[in-house]
Every structure is written in structure tokens, then in C-alpha cells.
Amino acid sequence: MVGRSLREIVWARLRRDRVALICFAILVVMYLLAIVGPYLLNALGYDPYTFDRAAISNSGGQPVLPNGGIEFPKHPLGVEWGTGRDIMAQLLSGLRISLIVSTSATILTVLIGTVVGIVAGYAGGWTDQILGRLMDLVLAFPFLLIVLALSGVMTDRLTAMGVPEGNTSRVLYLILVMSLFGWPYLARIVRGQVLSLREREFVEAAVAMGAGTPRILFGEMLPNLWAPILVYTTLTLPSYIGLEAALSFLGVGVLPPDTTFGAMLANSVSYFQVVPLYLFIPGGMLVLLVVSFNLLGDSLRDALDPKAIH
Amino acid sequence: MVGLLFLLSLAVFFLFNLLPFDPARLTCGKVCTPQLLEQNRHRLGLDLPPWDQYLAFVRGIFFGRIYAPDQPFPIVCHAPCLGYSFLRHAEVTTLIARALPVTLWLTLGGFIVWITFGVVGGIVAALRRGRWQDRVLMTVALFGYSMPSFFIGLLLIFFVILQLQWLPFPSASAVQAGPFANPVKFFQTMILPWLVIAILNAAFYVRLTRNQVLETFGEDYVRTARAKGLPERTVVVKHALRAGLTPIVTAAGLDIAYLMGGAIITESIFSLPGMGSLSVNAVTNYDLPLITGVVLVAGIFIIAMNLIVDLLYGFLDPRVRIG
């Protein structure tokens, strides 16, 4: 029997998992849409910022055509109430912002969490004590409340530090605050793993052969940590997508003329009795995105589980 | 515990009070001369060095506080004084005390629904592992926790209130009056918010309970219990579930603590005047003393709940009982 590495086993398991493959495909399409979608639409003549006065009524601003002004090929998903901006173009630019915020925030969270976790677990002693206290403190902050509470002032501060005003600093704020208050969860997991890895023979061997601390931490330990880190990443990303949407819904995300799923849903509140599609289009997109990530994360977790029977 | 509380108060205070904007200017009114601004700053105690401001804040929590006692109309803030909202002309403690019962009812009702559905669903899924009951429950659970809470809330409003008209629009005053003043109205308003909280959380607890029960099913003592000939019900509830309860209690404790600090989104969708709405209001109005107070109280809930959970471990799991 040929020995297989964990990576090979995981790949083999994932390839057999139809749900995982479908979700992966959906997510690849989503990322592609977020990257090239807006350019493509621009080339085809759709634009999220252009007002279309012809598509909305002069009195009241409601879309002229039924179902939110759906009209092929001009406005395939309808137009926004009051402005006549194209919903499909808005949806894609919202997808882009949502993925930029959640992906960058996740990368930063995982980076901070991993480094702090490894250092705390390996150094032990008072370094571990101090970092542990810091994690307790950060975890004692009510997450959503703090993101909300700091939004105004921190955005101003970022602007004062030279970040372009408006949505650039707002997006940067979201990324920073999510990662600065989100890392302790992963740091705790990694720390626990490192504590047990530290006693293993291969680390002992590395120490005996005179390897330096950075080499032990990142050369020997990190490769053994990637399973929990990967699982945690797939859990964090969808939760950040939801968080960004919630913040935009509450009005602390990006500002008009840019828009995201959360902001579109917040707008829909005034109109969805008349045009239910305003609720279902961005909401459906959001749920599809989060469900795909969660299903893929589940499959990945199962595939990485050495105890699982396949 | 006390150390953490101290650190929290320090962090919250300096996070919000040393930021580059000026509460004195915000409450100064339309015609703001430099003298008025200076006077205002003195009234709010902002002319003191930061460290003294923090000490005054902490002293206020224990002994109460009087703002600008040398001025003609000093503002008195009574003993647990978390600050004074100059925008609303009210003590922060009073505002929180008014909002807290609403959040408490919301959390309590939501908790009862979600823990019932979560634990029962989880046990059923574990017992019927691999069969259709399990699949259906796990699919529903996955969608449940993948749905952003505000989207669930909007969907419920759309279908239950607008389309089917099974319930009237939520009434903030009925909630504020509590369940005993007008029970029918209270429940009509609270059912949907409870459901939102329950759907969101139950989904997670179904998965958690299922995993815990499945894990303990493999343990020797469960086999022993079965071998003794105990009825299956006793085996599941008394042996399998009991041992797997610890992580469920941990998670529930933290979730309750977070909700008590304000179910921000649920409250804002159904316009319930609880802690969440209070904090959103404070944030949009730049009401610094109120923000500081709300965040601090929410943080205290989290720290206190962690302690309670730690104490509960001893009752639940004989292995961690100390002495």
C-alpha cells in the first residue's frame, strides 16, 4: 500500500464530494464576477452610477415597468426606486466591495491570529500570560457594538492619516476593525495546537539540531497547523460577509453612490411591499454566497478530519 | 475577573474619550463662541487631564458625581454613575435601565425557543443519523446560520406581517410596558424578534448538540448504560447528553451575554427600544458618554457570563469539581 500525504487524501476526498465541487464552482464564478464583472458590464453599457430618468416615474420615483422595472436587455434585474440606477450593475459592484472587505479582513485576521497564537503557545511564561490577557480583553468587547461605535471616529482618523476620504477610508476601516477585534478566536485555537506540538519529537529534534526559533516556529510548526487554520478561514469568511452586510444595513458601511448587499436591503425596506424583488435579489445573492462558503467549509472540515470514515 | 473589569473600563474609556473629536462642541449649541466652548468643556469635565477624567469616571461609578460643582446649575449624576448624556439630558444609567428590560425579555424569550429547538433537533438528528430526518435538520440548520439575521427579519416582516397579515406591526410601547401590562400586544410584537434570534442561534445548537451526542455515543459509559438494560431514553438524556452539555452551556452563556449587550440588528429591524437601539442611537448622534456606558455594560455582561459558565461546569461535569 502506498502512503499518501494528508494533502493527497484531502484532495481525493474533496474531488468525490459533489456539493463541495458545486460550491467551489459558484465561489470561483463569484470572485470572477467581482473582479471582471464591473468592467464587462461597463463595456456592455451597464453602469451602477448612471441615473435613468426614463425608467422611473416623474412623480414618486417608482419604476415605470412592473417588478421593479425589469426590461430586457436594458435593465435585466430592474432599476432602483427614485434614481433608476441599474440593479444588476449595483449588485456586481456590491459583490466586489463585499468580497474585498471580507477577503482582506479574513486574511488579516488569520495572519494576526496565527502569529500571536504561535508566539503565545511557544514562548509560554509571561509572554503567554500577557497575550492571553490581551485575548480575554479583546473578547470581552461586544464585537458588533464596537465596530458600530468606532465607525465614525476611526474613519475620520484614517482620513486624517492621509487615506482618501469617503468609501476608501470606510472600506479600510471595516477591514481593520474586523481583523483587530476578530483575531483572538483563531489565536486561541492555534495556541492550543502549538502547546501540544511543542512536546512532539520532530520539534525536539529540530531544537537538538540547533534550529533557530523562527525556523522552529514557522518552518516546523506552521506546516502542522494548516488544517485548523484552513477550517477557521472558511468559517470566518462567510461570517465577515454577513457582518459587512449587517453593518451596511445599519448604515455604517459604504456610502452612496456606492452600494453593497446590506445597503440595498436597507433601501428595500421602504419599497418591498410594492416591489418584493428589491428584497429577494440582493438577499438571495447574499445567502447564496454565504451558503456556498459554509458548505465548502463543512466539506473541507470533513475531508481534513482524520477520524472520518470515507 | 476584577483585573479584567478594570482593563475593560480603561480600554473603553480611552478608546472613546481620547479620540479626535470634541463632545464640548457637539453640545455647545448653534451660537458657539470660544468662551461658551471653554465653559462647556469645563462643565463636561473635559478640561481635566485624561487620567483625571478617567479617575472621575471611576469614582462616579462608586460614589456618584457632580458635574461642574462651581457652576450655577450643577448636574448631579447618582451613584452608579456611568456618565451623563448631555445630548439627551439624562444619566446614562437611567437610559440603560430603561432599555435593559426590553433586551432582557427579547433575550429570555429567544433563548427559550432556540435552546428547545436546538437541543431537541440536535438529539433527533443524532439518533436518526444518516436518515432523512438528519439530512433535513442539518440542511435547515445550515441555511439557518447562513442567513444574515437582518435578512431573516425582513423576510418574516414581509411574509408574516405584510403578505399574510397574521400579526400587526410591532409596537414599541407594548414592549416597553412589559408582558404584564398588555400581554396580547406584547406577545404579538415579540414573537417575530424571538423567532429571528431563535432561527439564527438554534441552527448552531442543532449542529453542536448533534456532534456532542454522537461523540458521547462512542464512550464506554454509554455502552455500559445500554448493557445494564437502561431504557434508551435514559441513556440518551442522562448519560449521553449530560456529558456533552459542557460546550453547549459555554456557547449558550456567551450568546446570552452578547444578546444582553443589545441584539442590535433584531432590535433595529423591529424598532424595539432596547440596548441595541440605544447604542445605534448613541453612535449616530456621537453621544460619547452613552456609547462608553453601553459598551462597558455590554462588556460586563460578557465577563460576568464567562464567570457563571465556569461555575456551572462544576455542577455539570463532576470531573472539574474542585475540592
Side-chain angles (χ1 to χ4, degrees), chain B residues 248-263:
Chain B
I248 299 176
V249 169
T250 313
L254 265 186
D255 282 340
I256 291 176
Y258 274 110
L259 281 175
M260 303 253 282

Side-chain angles (χ1 to χ4, degrees), chain B residues 105-184:
Chain B
W105 288 120
L106 183 64
T107 310
L108 189 71
F111 172 69
I112 292 172
V113 183
W114 105 55
I115 207 74
T116 315
F117 279 97
V119 172
V120 172
I123 294 174
V124 171
L127 291 179
R128 298 274 178 274
R129 182 187 190 182
R131 285 191 245 167
W132 67 266
Q133 294 98 327
D134 182 25
R135 277 168 210 275
V136 169
L137 273 167
M138 295 322 282
T139 315
V140 171
L142 184 97
F143 272 90
Y145 88 49
S146 293
M147 301 263 263
S149 58
F150 64 95
F151 187 54
I152 301 178
L154 292 179
L155 284 180
L156 285 177
I157 291 182
F158 178 74
F159 284 113
V160 179
I161 297 183
L162 293 176
Q163 293 286 309
L164 301 168
Q165 304 196 331
W166 284 346
L167 290 172
F169 273 95
S171 145
S173 57
V175 177
Q176 213 148 27
F180 308 111
N182 188 349
V184 177

Side-chain angles (χ1 to χ4, degrees), chain A residues 145 148 153 272 294 298 301, chain B residues 21 145-146 162 207 279 283:
Chain A
L145 187 54
L148 198 65
V153 276
F272 67 47
N294 277 336
D298 269 5
R301 191 168 20 179
Chain B
F21 69 32
Y145 88 49
S146 293
L162 293 176
R207 295 166 65 102
S279 46
V283 170

Side-chain angles (χ1 to χ4, degrees), chain B residues 227-245:
Chain B
K228 279 200 298 193
L230 289 181
E232 187 65 17
R233 176 197 296 267
T234 318
V235 175
V236 171
V237 174
K238 282 220 168 134
H239 294 80
L241 185 63
R242 165 106 191 242
L245 220 54

Side-chain angles (χ1 to χ4, degrees), chain A residues 141, chain B residues 7-17 291-293 295-296:
Chain A
F141 279 106
Chain B
L7 277 179
L8 179 74
S9 73
L10 202 66
V12 170
F13 186 84
F14 282 100
L15 208 51
F16 290 114
N17 287 270
I291 299 177
T292 316
V295 173
L296 194 59

